[in-house]
Amino acid sequence: MARVLCVAAVQDGRIKRSSLEVLTHFRQLCDRSGGAVEAVVLDPQPNQFVDTLQKYGASRIFLVAGDAFGQHLNEPVVRALESVFRQSGADAIAFASTESAKDVLGALSVRLGAAVLSDVADVDVRDGDWVATRPVMAAKRHARTKALTTPVIVSVRAGSYVASEAPAEADVVEVSFSDDEQARRPEIREVLVALGGTVDLSEATVVVAAGRGVKDNEGRQLIEELAEVFKAPIGATRAVVESGMYPATSQIGQTGKVVSPDLYFAIGISGAIQHVAGMVNSRVIVAINKDPDAPIFQYCTYGLVGDLYKILPSLTEELRAAVAG
Ligand SMILES: Cc1cc2nc3c(=O)[nH]c(=O)nc-3n(C[C@H](O)[C@H](O)[C@H](O)COP(=O)(O)OP(=O)(O)OC[C@H]3O[C@@H](n4cnc5c(N)ncnc54)[C@H](O)[C@@H]3O)c2cc1C
């Protein structure tokens, strides 16, 4: 097995859950086959993440400090990752498949002459070959892909693995990085945060999602009350995004966000394949639908057949009491 350098993405002052899942997966692969898993974090103050990365078993941690890393700028990120990757001597670099990762994979692969296995749901090294499984056709089929060259860049969908701790003592390497602000071509003038204060859908451990069964303000209120119990973000189907009831940023599915929480509530959602493609990796799915033949019931862990307007008030009350207790 190879040496793998995992990129630890930072959001809201924390390493993203999806990055810890990737780190865990490669640690387990490396443990089985005698490789080593390393981590790199790019941040204005990367030292604060050493404890977390040690807790998840990184054997070597590269810290690259720079103000540019707090600003969604691709060029400094590509430059820093290229430099750390060459310094580490790793055979592969692994990302969680986030929007930021998608932004840099192409440029990084050109600079490193690397094969890219992007947005995969599973990745392994067999007889020295890097092989991955990737959902295609709205997750109806899985394509098997093999990297034809090394090094390899891999990005893994959130929720593909479970993050678990395995504390280790890591070597910490501080990498110097100089950023010439004058030479930068793009300039970030403003970062707009949609739905400020709520949890990012793709990182959330609980998601409450609404579909066309939610017809009015009363329905929206019921959804919000349930979401409040878990401090969960609200997702939506394309139907209710297009009707203007929910913002486009909340759309889950083939043309929206891919989520993989521990608990997903599908409320008044039929379960069209384009929606399912974005949530089927959720660990526990609870569906409420008045149509017993709705396709969503084929995917759910618990199904409640009935009117969401009648079910939600008592369900929310029970859950609130359970969570408080
Ligand atoms: C190329 C393409 C891409 C697409 N991308 C996406 C995507 O990314 N995400 C996405 O979501 N969709 C996407 N769609 C649309 C998708 O095909 C479906 O049309 C959409 O998901 C349906 O949304 P829905 O389940 O809210 O609505 P519907 O299919 O209309 O279902 C509403 C459900 O609510 C139930 N219901 C109604 N009233 C109640 C009540 N009082 N109590 C309980 N249940 C009730 C009904 O029984 C029904 O099952 C895409 C379509 C195409 C063609």
Side-chain angles (χ1 to χ4, degrees):
M1 173 64 185
R3 286 239 306 275
V4 182
L5 178 67
C6 295
V7 180
V10 174
Q11 187 176 24
D12 299 330
R14 293 208 316 260
I15 304 284
K16 284 188 142 201
R17 182 172 68 109
S18 46
S19 291
L20 296 175
E21 292 168 0
V22 174
L23 183 59
T24 300
H25 174 63
F26 282 105
R27 185 194 73 226
Q28 290 167 344
L29 270 187
C30 290
D31 282 353
R32 283 202 294 273
S33 53
V37 67
E38 306 182 339
V40 53
V41 57
L42 315 180
D43 191 74
Q45 293 173 320
N47 301 54
Q48 58 184 312
F49 305 110
V50 168
D51 284 353
T52 305
L53 294 172
Q54 292 199 119
K55 216 186 281 171
Y56 283 84
S59 61
R60 192 156 56 143
I61 300 169
F62 294 90
L63 304 176
V64 194
D67 289 341
F69 304 131
Q71 296 176 45
H72 300 273
L73 290 161
N74 294 338
E75 194 272 336
V77 171
V78 171
R79 209 152 45 78
L81 289 180
E82 179 188 4
S83 156
V84 171
F85 185 71
R86 293 194 192 285
Q87 185 176 336
S88 76
D91 308 271
I93 183 163
F95 294 82
S97 186
T98 61
E99 295 307 314
S100 315
K102 287 174 193 163
D103 260 3
V104 299
L105 289 191
L108 193 61
S109 73
V110 171
R111 291 202 186 194
L112 297 176
V116 181
L117 299 171
S118 67
D119 211 22
V120 304
D122 188 29
V123 56
D124 199 354
V125 183
R126 288 192 204 126
D127 302 326
D129 288 332
W130 282 77
V131 287
T133 309
R134 188 169 189 266
V136 292
M137 298 176 192
K140 270 194 163 166
R141 292 279 183 272
H142 283 88
R144 303 281 315 265
T145 318
K146 183 167 95 174
L148 296 181
T149 186
T150 53
V152 176
I153 300 178
V154 56
S155 69
V156 182
R157 286 181 162 218
S160 300
Y161 304 108
V162 178
S164 68
E165 296 180 9
E169 195 67 35
D171 291 333
V172 177
V173 183
E174 295 193 5
V175 180
S176 68
F177 176 77
S178 63
D179 183 34
D180 181 0
E181 282 185 34
Q182 308 300 323
R184 266 192 221 148
R185 281 180 294 176
E187 178 196 346
I188 304 286
R189 294 205 176 153
E190 192 180 5
V191 177
L192 298 176
V193 180
L195 305 175
T198 59
V199 187
D200 178 2
L201 272 175
S202 43
E203 287 287 306
T205 50
V206 182
V207 170
V208 177
R212 199 153 23 204
V214 177
K215 294 191 173 64
D216 48 24
N217 282 341
E218 185 194 343
R220 279 171 50 145
Q221 180 69 29
L222 293 172
I223 294 288
E224 277 163 30
E225 284 168 9
L226 177 58
E228 177 55 33
V229 171
F230 296 98
K231 306 274 177 270
I234 295 174
T237 63
R238 181 155 129 178
V240 282
V241 166
E242 284 181 345
S243 73
M245 191 173 260
Y246 288 96
T249 47
S250 62
Q251 185 176 320
I252 291 169
Q254 186 186 339
T255 45
K257 295 206 167 98
V258 176
V259 301
S260 53
D262 295 334
L263 178 58
Y264 187 89
F265 288 94
I267 318 254
I269 291 175
S270 61
I273 189 65
Q274 295 88 353
H275 181 77
V276 170
M279 46 66 79
V280 72
N281 265 357
S282 307
R283 299 220 160 84
V284 173
I285 298 172
V286 178
I288 303 178
N289 198 303
K290 67 181 186 185
D291 173 6
D293 296 323
I296 193 70
F297 289 128
Q298 295 166 23
Y299 303 97
C300 70
T301 325
Y302 301 102
L304 301 170
V305 178
D307 184 345
L308 68 91
Y309 287 83
K310 295 201 177 113
I311 293 174
L312 273 183
S314 47
L315 179 69
T316 301
E317 200 181 308
E318 291 288 331
L319 290 172
R320 190 181 293 120
V323 167

